[in-house]
């Protein structure tokens, strides 16, 4: 058993060997790089990588993986480092493989409407590239400015428009991956139809770097939506969400249907000096976005608003009259996460079938209040696809460490309830490290046994993001 100083010297020797084997590979052992590239947005685990490398091509990644396999060196792929489950944390001498230097837009084909990019391209850059071509890349979320498309694919990122366009998975038409054996796989080649056996692309999507490193992505771009209207509605209670959702989605084409409680509004208003969204303080709110191509679209959605107002589901509401007002309304939802980050929130990102959302939310809220009355819990999320974010704010006086262990006990209660509803313990943030110990609440023993066999096939040496997911 080597001591930490011995293992440190091993690593240095090993990094020197890597430099000799791959002299063109950019490598950093800078202390700040080790800290910043050794983690994601989570702050519960101390980053301790041995070094960070910055490959610039699939070929470099392939040479690197082959070296790592020979040396039994663990690798942690790292994209925009916006993950929320510790999936890109290197806490035990792993070599971080940053895709930061793989930022090329490789090609665009107008007939296919396919954008081929390197994995390090940010989600925002993909949005911009789509707009340049008069098209639209629909997956969007608050961290899209720094998240990278490779990481979005590795975690099958969702965001605010899943209701209308699906998750990242539905946009991926091709993938280039270097597996743990050092093999390069070019999957699906941009085809729409391809009935030639197992679709390995979909195995890689959501694999969180545990089967291979995604180096290139081919995305299907779509026609831009018509002008979009935004309505923010104040509800009398959680029980009103579904009647409002059904009334609105019968009235028009929704592109988003988000939910958040008054406690979220208070955090955003306090952090940003915003005034309350409505004159009345409401128990909870929904923010919906809909296609507003014609005046009739607007009239139908307003009729739905009148209907839910008269029925008593809604207390008050506002319809955006301009793009800038629509943006202002979105702030109450989009700014929640960043407004509470100083409270190191413990995040549960869960999902149940839409039909169960109300009952699930009510029973969980009751459970949490019963078991942990001292905790400040914020509820928000993508109600339109059954995804709820339950964020427990760290009490100012409590240390991050103590808070984390307290929250893990609460998590047993939460995930027990998720299992009762046959829901998912991680709707869109992935399993990473933080959710791994609770995976059995959502995946059966048989499924998790198959995970191990699949891992063995794609990463027989166990160098790919060890300790994550399984
Ligand atoms: C959201 C973003 C991350 C968080 O706001 O929809 O997925 O804070 C989240 O939970
Ligand atoms: Zn979310």
């Amino acid at each position: 058993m080597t001591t930490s100083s011995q293992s440190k010297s091993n690593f240095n020797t090993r990094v020197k060997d890597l430099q000799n084997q791959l002299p063109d590979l950019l490598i950093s052992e800078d202390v700040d790089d080790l800290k910043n590239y050794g983690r994601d947005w989570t702050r519960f685990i101390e980053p301790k990588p041995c070094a960070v490398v910055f490959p610039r091509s699939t070929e470099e990644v392939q040479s690197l993986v082959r070296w790592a396999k020979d040396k039994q060196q663990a690798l942690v792929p790292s994209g925009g480092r916006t993950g929320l489950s510790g999936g890109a944390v290197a806490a035990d001498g792993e070599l971080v493989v940053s895709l930061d230097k793989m930022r090329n837009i490789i090609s665009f084909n107008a007939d296919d409407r396919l954008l081929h990019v390197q994995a390090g391209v940010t989600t925002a850059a993909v949005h911009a590239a789509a707009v340049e071509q008069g098209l639209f890349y629909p997956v969007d979320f608050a961290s899209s400015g720094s998240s990278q498309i490779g990481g979005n694919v590795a975690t099958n990122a969702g965001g605010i428009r899943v209701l209308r366009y699906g998750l990242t998975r539905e946009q991926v038409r091709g993938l280039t991956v270097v597996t743990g054996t050092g093999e390069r796989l070019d999957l699906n080649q941009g085809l729409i139809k391809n009935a030639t056996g197992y679709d390995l692309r979909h195995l890689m999507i959501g694999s969180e770097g545990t089967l291979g490193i995604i180096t290139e992505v081919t995305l299907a771009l779509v026609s831009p939506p018509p002008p979009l209207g935004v309505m923010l509605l104040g509800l009398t209670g959680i029980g009103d969400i579904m009647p409002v959702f059904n009334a609105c989605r019968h009235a028009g084409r929704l592109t988003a249907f988000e939910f958040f409680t008054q406690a979220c509004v208070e955090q955003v208003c306090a952090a940003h000096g915003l005034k309350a969204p409505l004159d009345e303080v409401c128990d909870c709110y929904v923010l919906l976005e809909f296609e507003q191509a014609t005046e009739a679209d607007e009239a139908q959605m307003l009729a739905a608003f009148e209907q839910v107002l008269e029925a008593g589901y809604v207390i008050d509401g506002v319809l955006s009259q301009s793009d800038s007002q629509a943006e202002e309304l979105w702030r109450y939802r989009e700014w929640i996460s960043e407004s509470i980050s100083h409270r190191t929130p413990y995040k549960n990102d869960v999902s149940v079938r839409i039909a169960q959302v109300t009952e699930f939310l009510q029973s969980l809220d009751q459970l949490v209040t019963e078991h942990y009355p001292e905790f400040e819990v914020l509820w928000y999320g993508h109600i339109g696809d059954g995804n709820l974010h339950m964020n427990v704010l760290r009490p100012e006086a409590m240390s991050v460490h103590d808070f984390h262990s307290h929250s893990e006990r609460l998590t047993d209660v939460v995930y027990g309830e998720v299992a009762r509803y046959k829901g998912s313990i991680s709707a869109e943030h992935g399993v990473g490290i933080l959710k791994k110990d609770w995976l059995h609440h959502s995946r059966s023993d048989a499924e998790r046994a198959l995970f191990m066999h699949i891992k063995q096939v794609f990463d027989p040496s166990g160098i790919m993001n060890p300790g994550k997911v399984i």
Side-chain angles (χ1 to χ4, degrees):
M1 176 72 173
T2 52
T3 62
S4 57
S5 58
Q6 274 173 318
S7 58
K8 187 92 182 68
S9 67
N10 285 348
F11 290 144
N12 293 340
T13 320
R14 194 174 281 182
V15 172
K16 280 198 175 55
D17 178 68
L18 174 59
Q19 276 163 329
N20 296 334
Q21 300 290 326
L22 302 175
D24 297 337
L25 181 63
L26 298 175
I27 303 179
S28 170
E29 290 180 283
D30 170 79
V31 172
D32 288 339
D33 281 346
L34 295 181
K35 182 179 170 208
N36 293 327
Y37 282 94
R39 64 185 185 184
D40 57 11
W41 264 3
T42 58
R43 290 293 179 268
F44 297 118
I45 303 163
E46 183 66 29
K48 288 194 192 110
C50 65
V52 188
V53 291
F54 300 88
R56 283 159 296 196
S57 67
T58 299
E59 291 69 25
E60 262 197 333
V61 171
Q62 217 174 351
S63 311
L64 168 68
V65 171
R66 286 179 174 154
W67 171 86
K69 188 162 80 70
D70 293 345
K71 299 292 176 192
Q72 281 300 297
Q73 170 60 50
L75 302 175
V76 172
S78 170
R81 291 169 284 135
T82 59
L84 293 154
S85 300
V89 169
D92 190 18
E94 304 94 329
L95 182 64
V96 172
V97 184
S98 168
L99 283 300
D100 268 7
K101 300 284 187 221
M102 292 181 69
R103 294 250 165 142
N104 294 334
I105 307 262
I106 300 167
S107 69
F108 169 72
N109 182 295
D111 295 338
D112 287 319
R113 292 187 154 191
L114 290 181
L115 185 71
H116 184 192
V117 299
Q118 284 191 312
V121 172
T122 63
T123 317
V126 169
H127 290 148
V131 168
E132 246 174 65
Q133 304 297 342
L135 296 172
F136 182 62
Y137 179 68
V139 177
D140 199 0
F141 32 75
S143 60
S144 58
S146 36
S147 72
Q148 295 176 6
I149 199 69
N152 294 172
V153 173
T155 56
N156 190 22
I160 53 174
R161 297 209 171 92
V162 169
L163 171 72
R164 172 78 174 73
Y165 295 98
L167 293 108
T168 297
R169 181 180 301 283
E170 280 74 34
Q171 326 304 324
V172 174
R173 201 63 77 67
L175 278 184
T176 297
V177 180
V178 178
T179 70
T181 61
E183 274 169 298
R184 172 183 175 138
L185 301 178
D186 290 296
L187 301 173
N188 200 58
Q189 312 284 0
L191 296 172
I192 295 172
K193 291 186 172 176
N194 180 9
T196 54
Y198 306 115
D199 190 333
L200 299 181
R201 160 190 46 161
H202 286 301
L203 193 56
M204 288 298 161
I205 298 170
S207 60
E208 298 187 51
T210 60
L211 302 179
I213 299 178
I214 293 163
T215 60
E216 297 173 26
V217 183
T218 300
L219 296 163
L221 302 183
V222 297
S223 300
L228 298 171
V230 173
M231 235 172 15
L232 191 150
L233 305 176
L235 277 56
T236 50
I238 290 170
D240 301 320
I241 296 171
M242 277 305 134
V244 172
F245 180 42
N246 283 322
C248 294
R249 63 177 168 170
H250 286 316
R253 287 203 79 159
L254 298 183
T255 47
F257 193 86
E258 298 290 311
F259 153 81
F260 46 92
T261 55
Q262 173 60 21
C264 298
V265 170
E266 286 161 12
Q267 292 286 343
V268 172
C269 291
H272 294 276
L274 299 184
K275 66 178 185 52
L278 302 173
D279 296 340
E280 301 257 351
V281 172
C282 304
D283 178 84
C284 58
Y285 302 79
V286 293
L287 181 141
L288 60 104
E289 186 184 69
F290 64 99
E291 293 187 1
Q292 194 178 341
T294 64
E295 281 177 17
D297 292 338
E298 178 177 327
Q300 276 159 354
M301 199 53 76
L302 278 174
F305 169 57
E306 291 303 330
Q307 181 198 338
V308 291
L309 199 64
E310 268 152 48
Y313 298 125
V314 165
I315 299 169
D316 192 0
V318 58
L319 169 67
S320 61
Q321 296 304 309
S322 64
D323 287 350
S324 63
Q325 192 189 8
E327 248 175 71
E328 282 165 21
L329 293 174
W330 263 114
R331 288 175 190 166
Y332 293 102
R333 169 61 184 86
E334 291 259 288
W335 287 3
I336 297 171
S337 185
E338 163 263 325
S339 300
I340 60 175
S341 58
H342 66 290
R343 299 286 297 277
T344 350
Y346 190 88
K347 293 175 176 293
N348 284 309
D349 155 46
V350 297
S351 63
V352 293
R353 290 195 350 267
I354 292 177
Q356 298 175 303
V357 160
T358 306
E359 190 194 322
F360 170 74
L361 189 43
Q362 285 169 328
S363 68
L364 193 53
D365 199 34
Q366 200 184 332
L367 261 178
V368 170
T369 315
E370 256 168 48
H371 287 251
Y372 294 88
E374 76 282 10
F375 272 167
E376 205 178 339
V377 178
L378 266 58
W379 290 98
Y380 56 96
H382 323 277
I383 277 278
D385 53 52
N387 179 189
L388 289 164
H389 296 304
M390 179 191 128
N391 279 229
V392 186
L393 304 189
R394 177 174 54 81
E396 311 267 13
M398 196 181 276
S399 74
V400 172
H401 177 270
D402 289 352
F403 174 62
H404 188 237
S405 38
H406 266 71
S407 304
E408 292 211 318
R409 281 196 291 283
L410 166 60
T411 296
D412 276 323
V413 172
V414 172
Y415 289 163
E417 193 67 1
V418 169
R420 217 162 62 79
Y421 281 83
K422 297 189 176 10
S424 170
I425 64 154
S426 181
E428 57 177 3
H429 296 165
V431 177
I433 297 177
L434 297 184
K435 313 289 174 66
K436 187 174 77 167
D437 294 341
W438 285 280
L439 195 56
H440 60 281
H441 286 295
S442 287
R443 306 308 292 265
S444 67
D445 294 349
E447 287 179 292
R448 286 179 294 122
L450 286 169
F451 285 3
M452 302 302 282
H453 293 312
I454 290 167
K455 170 80 175 175
Q456 188 55 33
V457 168
F458 282 90
D459 179 27
S461 308
I463 58 169
M464 283 295 163
N465 220 1
K468 311 305 182 9
V469 184
I470 47 177

